[in-house]
Amino acid sequence: QVQLVESGGGLVPAGGSLRLSCAASGITLSANAVDWYRQGPGKQRDFLAYISAGGTTNYADSVKGRFTISRDNAKNTVYLQMHSLKPEDTAVYYCKAEHHTGWGTTDYWGQGTQVTVSS
């Protein structure tokens, strides 16, 4: 059974930093693409960052230069390092693993972790 568990969220003042973790079981993250998304109150879930199995990364314009996605293969964990946080970064943050097979793609989501940035 695939399980993704996010952690590292919390309350941080504007300008601060946090590192979110996405720990996986039942799936090898280094063999799959992993994304980070966030969903603010009353908003849709938005893409933030992506890391491919080969290590290629991509970011939404809103977080480019402030957020960094990385992976620790030994820990089967993907991270999202966030700097220069703003109140508008307040949201629930989710990771997603994209499991591609010859029959299609299955997306696995974590339960989310709350990030609150105070002004």
Side-chain angles (χ1 to χ4, degrees), residues 12-116:
V12 62
S17 299
L18 280 175
R19 189 179 77 160
L20 306 183
S21 299
C22 172
S25 59
I27 188 171
T28 301
L29 294 185
S30 61
N32 298 274
V34 177
D35 309 84
W36 281 97
Y37 284 75
R38 70 185 177 192
Q39 188 166 17
K43 297 182 180 180
Q44 66 182 18
R45 192 170 295 189
D46 291 329
F47 166 79
L48 297 175
Y50 161 93
I51 185 166
S52 72
T56 300
T57 58
N58 189 31
Y59 298 91
D61 288 342
S62 60
V63 303
K64 198 172 295 184
R66 298 191 299 127
F67 291 9
T68 302
I69 189 170
S70 63
R71 187 175 63 217
D72 185 329
N73 294 342
K75 295 183 177 180
N76 204 24
T77 299
V78 169
Y79 302 99
L80 186 68
Q81 178 68 55
M82 307 186 294
H83 295 296
S84 303
L85 284 164
K86 308 173 184 179
E88 52 263 43
D89 293 318
T90 294
V92 179
Y93 284 67
Y94 300 89
C95 63
K96 181 187 77 172
E98 304 175 23
H99 184 53
H100 301 285
T101 69
W103 294 273
T105 299
T106 300
D107 291 337
Y108 298 98
W109 291 88
Q111 84 291 345
T113 185
Q114 175 71 47
V115 171
T116 302

